[in-house]
Amino acid sequence: MKNNRFVYFVLLPIFLLLAVFFVLPIAGGLAISFFDYNPLRAINHFIGFENFGKLMSDKIFLKSTTNTLVFVGITVTLNIFITLVLAQLISMLPWPKFRSFFRVIFFMPCVAPLIASSVVWGGLYATKYGLINNMLKTFFGISPVNWLGTASYVMPAIIIFTLWADIGYNIILFSAGMDGIPTDFYEAAEIDGAGMVKKFFYITLPLLGRTVSFVVAMTIISHFQMFAQFQVLAKLGGPENSGNVLTYYIYKTAFQTKDMGYASAIAVVLFVLIMIVTIIQQRLNRVEWGY
């Protein structure tokens, strides 16, 4: 009993921090979503579920939700595939210094502020003097593309940038997971004549299950919350709202139109969306083994 009291006493500050900085803001946002709330008004009326009812007839909200799901689905899938392959290739290098060198190279974009990287990539995507268009014209003879001014190109351009900016974290995590796999398994597989591909699919990938589950969950959550690149590269949501996602729509509704009640309702929907996707992902990637 005394030990339990000591544990509760030690954990109390953590619970207080969680309550103040996580639980209360979520509860506050949920409460505001039931009001016609504008911080510049003296009186804000309670309107119940009216904000949530408006969402189904809001074409920009529906477009933003679709864009968000497309963005998260494509970037998370490509991110996990690319980082797994790169982490495996790096781990196969025989010299530790080479492995460290490539991990640092891939991690460098993660160190730079996302907003600054977005500004730089906005220049690379420029139609007239952008590096990407110049390279396409020089090597493939392709005419300049208006990457950020054409509805069908905005999302692919942002996805390419996001992959460049974000793969470093997952390469480090997958590399750490691969380094933790006991070498006994690989030695036994080599004796049985297994090649590189078989060792990856029958040893590395199954034994990396917990790391994969964690990385997929964190990548999904972080990509649902991405905002900076949409703010910079898809100005005002992009042409025909092609670059409008839920995070940007929440920002625009809350701080430009000052309709914080409606913005809170959108935020609640985003929160529920992230929670549902994360729960499904955790169920599908449940790992119940150890080594």
Side-chain angles (χ1 to χ4, degrees):
M1 181 63 78
K2 284 184 178 178
N3 287 338
N4 287 341
R5 285 179 182 173
F6 176 74
V7 171
Y8 292 140
F9 178 75
V10 171
L11 291 176
L12 184 61
I14 302 298
F15 288 133
L16 288 175
L17 285 174
L18 288 173
V20 171
F21 293 105
F22 289 92
V23 179
L24 285 181
I26 292 173
L30 180 62
I32 290 174
S33 67
F34 295 112
F35 285 83
D36 180 17
Y37 186 77
N38 184 330
L40 301 180
R41 282 201 304 260
I43 299 174
N44 296 287
H45 298 286
F46 178 79
I47 56 173
F49 287 92
E50 190 176 315
N51 282 326
F52 292 96
K54 284 165 56 181
L55 291 175
M56 290 301 101
S57 58
D58 184 348
K59 291 182 180 177
I60 299 179
F61 167 75
L62 296 175
K63 178 74 173 176
S64 302
T65 305
T66 305
N67 287 342
T68 302
L69 292 174
V70 169
F71 171 76
V72 172
I74 294 176
T75 50
V76 171
T77 304
L78 291 177
N79 186 309
I80 298 301
F81 174 75
I82 293 170
T83 52
L84 259 176
V85 172
L86 288 176
Q88 177 63 37
L89 292 175
I90 291 172
S91 71
M92 290 168 59
L93 293 173
W95 303 284
K97 287 186 178 178
F98 272 29
R99 292 199 291 269
S100 300
F101 172 77
F102 283 108
R103 285 168 186 162
V104 169
I105 291 295
F106 283 113
F107 191 73
M108 283 177 69
C110 302
V111 178
L114 202 56
I115 195 82
S117 301
S118 302
V119 172
V120 173
W121 272 74
L124 297 179
Y125 279 131
T127 306
K128 197 169 184 180
Y129 299 111
L131 178 64
I132 293 174
N133 275 330
N134 283 333
M135 290 176 65
L136 289 175
K137 186 177 181 181
T138 303
F139 294 110
F140 303 103
I142 298 174
S143 301
V145 177
N146 188 1
W147 292 98
L148 305 178
T150 306
S152 57
Y153 290 130
V154 171
M155 190 56 77
I158 293 176
I159 287 172
I160 292 170
F161 163 74
T162 304
L163 289 172
W164 171 85
D166 198 49
I167 61 171
Y169 281 117
N170 290 350
I171 288 176
I172 297 297
L173 292 172
F174 281 137
S175 296
M178 289 174 183
D179 290 345
I181 297 174
T183 55
D184 302 357
F185 295 103
Y186 295 108
E187 291 169 358
E190 285 175 3
I191 292 172
D192 291 339
M196 184 178 65
V197 176
K198 282 190 175 179
K199 282 194 284 186
F200 177 76
F201 282 104
Y202 291 105
I203 297 176
T204 304
L205 204 53
L207 296 184
L208 208 59
R210 287 200 171 100
T211 306
V212 171
S213 178
F214 172 77
V215 169
V216 171
M218 296 309 294
T219 308
I220 288 174
I221 293 170
S222 67
H223 283 212
F224 264 114
Q225 297 172 337
M226 284 196 167
F227 169 78
Q229 60 267 59
F230 293 97
Q231 163 79 346
V232 174
L233 297 176
K235 296 185 187 304
L236 302 176
E240 303 172 20
N241 287 307
S242 54
N244 206 347
V245 289
L246 287 174
T247 50
Y248 180 74
Y249 193 39
I250 292 169
Y251 162 78
K252 186 179 175 183
T253 307
F255 298 104
Q256 292 183 2
T257 62
K258 301 291 186 293
D259 190 355
M260 288 200 173
Y262 191 54
S264 296
I266 303 170
V268 170
V269 172
L270 178 61
F271 173 77
V272 173
L273 199 59
I274 293 173
M275 190 168 64
I276 291 172
V277 173
T278 306
I279 289 172
I280 293 172
Q281 182 272 327
Q282 288 292 304
R283 291 275 182 185
L284 293 176
N285 292 317
R286 182 177 291 175
V287 179
E288 297 177 347
W289 54 262
Y291 60 82

